[in-house]
Amino acid sequence: MCPRQHSLVDLSKSPGAEHLRDVLDAYMVEHGMRATEQRRLIIDTFMAAEPHVSIDELLGQVRQKDARIGYATVYRTLKMLAECGIAHERHFDDGFARYELASTESHHDHLICTACGRIVEFEEPQIEDLQLAVADRYGFVVTHHRHELYGLCADCRPGETKASTDP
Amino acid sequence: MCPRQHSLVDLSKSPGAEHLRDVLDAYMVEHGMRATEQRRLIIDTFMAAEPHVSIDELLGQVRQKDARIGYATVYRTLKMLAECGIAHERHFDDGFARYELASTESHHDHLICTACGRIVEFEEPQIEDLQLAVADRYGFVVTHHRHELYGLCADCRPGETKASTDP
DNA sequence: ATACATGCAAACGTTTTGCACTTAG
DNA sequence: CTAAGTGCAAAACGTTTGCATGTAT
């Protein structure tokens, strides 16, 4: 192992992560999948990464440990994680897929700052309830949904400190 | 009841397709754009088409009248309509852009049947209010959003009668 | 007459896959 | 040993654009 430094935040040890590992192991055994060096590295890196990483971002982080890893391997590994329910694939308006660890908590949606790219998760049970009511009103049964609020976060909003007159 | 406002480009309160034509004309004049045969045909066809047409669908309909029309022309015309606020570009989960006339009153979101592709518009002011409340809670100012409910419509649901025990 | 528009085909950016080589079991 | 995984490069996919030709004004 590389005795580089002790990671400050080790999400792989947060509550729930162990269960995810179990789910993953079961899934891989069941599908005759092998635990390769690359997969281990990619999965570990993903679990320690900030939420909503893109494939490219993750690839960059992974390559700091092993520069030979290819895009396709990261791509396929993330697809696999999504397939077995450990990760969720998200498509915001920036054009590429992002992945987040499936949390044990309930469902959440997202606020996205169009200036700095910050992504904040929110939960609003009342909205969830209203969604079901709306669907019911139209005879729909909802299987999944997408709810994204785009705008400016507190740091990017004009008004904090005026003087925003550019030449 | 509604007096027809004249000449001013006031999109937000446009009552009908006729006004949209006026807005369009004004936009084209202002941008030195020409009223070509193709554009007329494409725009007329779009306005008569069902809501949420894709470029390919519209191209198909347009080619029934003039088989020489190219994809790029439809593409550019729809972009232009979106640019001047007459059409809205939507991206659902089927991978390609769809366009709808902006003629309708206030904002709406969508229910999409994942079986037959049916798209239903819904309006729910309470959800809109809650969105603003949520954004405010996180210090965000919302500029736009995306809210899509995916599921099965009444026609595609298993068990027209009841059948509520099916994962 | 000439700037704008068209239609083709090729460029794009991201995702997905075919394939020869490598490797875990 | 052999089925599964890797990395590369190329295909696929919808979207976007450069360019030679056509046309509305």
Side-chain angles (χ1 to χ4, degrees):
Chain A
M1 314 260 212
C2 276
R4 209 66 214 201
Q5 78 207 25
H6 245 63
S7 62
L8 301 172
V9 178
D10 189 355
L11 285 188
S12 62
K13 296 229 173 98
S14 63
E18 284 177 24
H19 174 63
L20 291 183
R21 293 277 187 180
D22 293 344
V23 172
L24 177 58
D25 288 347
Y27 180 91
M28 289 182 67
V29 167
E30 188 181 341
H31 289 72
M33 301 177 80
R34 292 168 182 175
T36 65
E37 270 304 310
Q38 293 95 325
R39 258 180 203 158
R40 268 194 289 266
L41 174 57
I42 292 167
I43 292 168
D44 288 349
T45 307
F46 172 64
M47 287 184 143
E50 83 275 17
H52 315 109
V53 274
S54 68
I55 297 181
D56 276 313
E57 287 165 358
L58 188 58
L59 179 61
Q61 293 175 32
V62 158
R63 280 189 169 159
Q64 290 175 8
K65 289 267 190 172
D66 181 348
R68 294 165 188 276
I69 306 282
Y71 178 98
T73 305
V74 174
Y75 166 81
R76 284 188 275 235
T77 301
L78 286 175
K79 281 288 178 192
M80 187 264 283
L81 293 182
E83 171 88 13
C84 74
I86 280 177
H88 291 312
E89 187 178 321
R90 306 282 187 190
H91 292 264
F92 302 131
D93 280 355
D94 52 4
F96 36 82
R98 294 181 173 278
Y99 293 83
E100 67 182 44
L101 258 186
S103 64
T104 48
E105 314 151 27
S106 53
H107 171 83
H108 63 255
D109 290 298
H110 299 86
L111 279 153
I112 298 115
C113 179
T114 51
C116 71
R118 185 141 74 106
I119 300 170
V120 175
E121 302 174 354
F122 73 86
E123 236 176 287
E124 183 45 77
Q126 292 183 73
I127 291 180
E128 305 286 325
D129 290 345
L130 284 166
Q131 285 180 166
L132 296 182
V134 164
D136 196 59
R137 190 188 309 157
Y138 290 92
F140 272 68
V141 176
V142 174
T143 54
H144 60 287
H145 69 264
R146 195 165 164 168
H147 197 181
E148 294 146 22
L149 309 182
Y150 294 89
L152 298 174
C153 73
D155 294 344
C156 296
R157 224 164 42 188
E160 295 296 291
T161 330
K162 271 196 53 182
S164 55
T165 35
D166 355 34
Chain B
M1 300 269 277
C2 259
R4 44 169 86 174
Q5 310 267 333
H6 193 248
S7 71
L8 265 189
V9 184
D10 181 12
L11 249 283
S12 52
K13 286 286 182 178
S14 56
E18 284 175 26
H19 187 245
L20 291 183
R21 294 278 187 177
D22 293 343
V23 172
L24 177 58
D25 288 347
Y27 180 91
M28 289 181 68
V29 166
E30 187 181 343
H31 288 73
M33 302 178 79
R34 291 168 183 175
T36 65
E37 270 305 311
Q38 294 96 325
R39 258 179 203 157
R40 269 194 288 268
L41 174 57
I42 292 166
I43 292 168
D44 288 349
T45 307
F46 172 64
M47 286 184 143
E50 83 274 17
H52 315 109
V53 275
S54 67
I55 297 181
D56 276 312
E57 287 165 358
L58 188 59
L59 179 61
Q61 293 175 32
V62 159
R63 281 190 169 158
Q64 290 175 8
K65 289 268 190 172
D66 182 348
R68 292 164 189 277
I69 306 282
Y71 178 99
T73 305
V74 175
Y75 166 81
R76 283 189 275 235
T77 301
L78 286 175
K79 281 288 178 193
M80 187 264 282
L81 294 183
E83 171 88 13
C84 74
I86 280 178
H88 290 311
E89 186 178 321
R90 305 282 186 187
H91 292 264
F92 302 132
D93 280 357
D94 52 6
F96 36 82
R98 294 181 173 278
Y99 293 82
E100 68 182 43
L101 259 186
S103 64
T104 46
E105 337 71 57
S106 53
H107 171 82
H108 62 256
D109 291 297
H110 300 85
L111 278 153
I112 298 116
C113 178
T114 51
C116 70
R118 185 139 76 106
I119 299 171
V120 174
E121 301 174 356
F122 73 87
E123 233 176 292
E124 182 45 77
Q126 292 183 73
I127 291 180
E128 306 286 324
D129 290 346
L130 284 166
Q131 285 180 166
L132 295 183
V134 164
D136 196 59
R137 191 188 309 158
Y138 289 93
F140 271 68
V141 176
V142 174
T143 54
H144 60 287
H145 70 264
R146 198 165 162 165
H147 197 181
E148 294 146 22
L149 309 183
Y150 294 89
L152 297 176
C153 72
D155 294 343
C156 297
R157 251 178 1 207
E160 300 291 291
T161 50
K162 267 203 277 186
S164 54
T165 48
D166 204 56

